[in-house]
Every structure is written in C-alpha cells, then in structure tokens.
Amino acid sequence: RKAILGGHNQNQAVEYGAMASKTEKTAEERAFLLEALHQNRKLTKILRLDQEQLDQLVALMWRETIEQGEEVITEGGEGENFYIVQSGGFDIFRSRQSGA
C-alpha cells in the first residue's frame, strides 16, 4: 500500500512557522495529487484554495509506503497529517460511544 502524505514529516526538521521541504514529483504524480485534492468534497467544503495554494500543498507532500497491519491513524489522536491513498486499501475502525 502506498500513501502520499501532507503535514509534519518526521524526517524533516520543521520549526513552527517554517516551510517544510519540497519533494520532487513527476508530472503524473502532481496531476494525481491535484485531482485527488479537487475531488475531496470534505476538503473543498472547509477550504477554498486557489491553484497556487494547491500547487504549494502538492509540493510539500511526500510518498510513504505503509506496511500491512501498520496503524496509521489512532482515534482521538492529534491530526498532524492527511493521506491520499495511491494504491491498496485501509481498514477503518471506530469505537462505539454512547449517544453516537
């Protein structure tokens, strides 16, 4: 499984307010990411990004391979990254809470 991430990369020294490092991408990768961002209805409801902002966001994304069984997101944890799944799939489990 492969995911392309945006957010705080643990492999980069990112200080508060500093720009994260850009990662090289092919034209195909950039097009895939831009299309995924445009098609994300939840993202487009909360953010209105112009093309320049989208290009900057894509430039800061990086690829990461996630091994089967590896926990990616923990319910209740701080959301530091967002993920675009390039290939494969992920199971999502949510705890039941009273009244939910």
Side-chain angles (χ1 to χ4, degrees), residues 10-100:
Q10 294 178 357
N11 297 326
Q12 297 171 345
V14 179
E15 295 180 22
Y16 181 76
M19 187 77 144
S21 298
K22 295 182 179 182
T23 59
E24 295 297 320
K25 290 167 199 66
T26 66
E28 284 181 347
E29 289 171 325
R30 283 191 301 276
F32 169 78
L33 292 169
L34 286 169
E35 181 66 19
L37 292 170
H38 283 292
Q39 296 299 319
N40 185 319
R41 290 186 182 126
K42 290 184 180 185
L43 178 66
T44 57
K45 281 185 180 181
I46 61 172
L47 289 175
R48 299 226 183 251
L49 301 174
D50 63 29
Q51 190 60 47
E52 182 179 349
Q53 291 169 316
L54 287 169
D55 290 339
Q56 290 172 354
L57 181 59
V58 166
L60 297 175
M61 297 175 126
W62 66 93
R63 173 179 283 122
E64 190 169 312
T65 300
I66 310 296
E67 299 298 326
Q68 185 171 352
E70 184 177 346
E71 191 171 283
V72 178
I73 300 171
T74 303
E75 185 176 4
E78 288 190 36
E80 295 181 350
N81 299 315
F82 66 91
Y83 299 83
I84 296 175
V85 179
Q86 185 176 16
S87 63
F90 293 84
D91 293 321
I92 300 170
F93 301 96
R94 184 174 167 191
S95 65
R96 293 185 183 193
Q97 298 177 358
S98 60

